């Protein structure tokens, strides 16, 4: 029996290229700036390098939920407030 050829599905859009991702990056930077921190100051609070903060803000690395919570807390906020700010930028 011959093999059935199925049409290919279009490739999934990578989340890094979705416009919503820019809202996440903009919000991370805004939270840092609203806390009046330089990247180096936030990185010290996170016990990370300055390049980590820069890479996160530029989207070169992706933060998981725990890292987002740490970022928000270091900026004097909460994960819930960070998520709400991201969602507000989406709309």
């Amino acid at each position: 029996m011959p093999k059935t050829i199925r049409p290919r599905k279009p490739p999934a859009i990578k989340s890094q290229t979705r416009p919503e991702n820019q809202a996440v990056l903009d919000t991370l930077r805004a939270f840092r700036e609203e806390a009046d921190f330089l990247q180096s100051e936030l990185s010290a609070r996170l016990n990370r390098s300055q390049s980590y903060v820069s890479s996160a803000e530029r989207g070169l690395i992706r933060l998981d939920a725990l890292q987002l919570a740490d970022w928000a807390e270091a900026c004097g906020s909460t994960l819930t407030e960070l998520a709400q700010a991201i969602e507000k930028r989406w709309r």
Side-chain angles (χ1 to χ4, degrees), residues 17-30:
T17 61
R18 289 176 53 181
E20 295 92 338
N21 189 56
Q22 191 60 50
V24 175
L25 304 179
D26 292 345
T27 305
L28 289 175
R29 183 174 184 171

Side-chain angles (χ1 to χ4, degrees), residues 37-81:
F37 292 141
L38 298 172
Q39 288 182 344
S40 58
E41 293 169 325
L42 178 58
S43 67
R45 299 189 86 161
L46 294 170
N47 200 26
R48 298 283 195 148
S49 66
Q50 179 272 328
S51 63
Y52 168 84
V53 173
S54 174
S55 295
E57 289 182 352
R58 291 184 295 140
L60 299 178
I61 60 172
R62 296 178 65 181
L63 304 182
D64 64 27
L66 295 174
Q67 292 167 316
L68 289 170
D70 290 343
W71 189 289
E73 186 177 319
C75 292
S77 192
T78 66
L79 179 58
T80 301
E81 291 170 335

Side-chain angles (χ1 to χ4, degrees), residues 5-11:
I5 298 175
R6 297 183 182 139
R8 288 186 165 218
K9 293 181 181 178

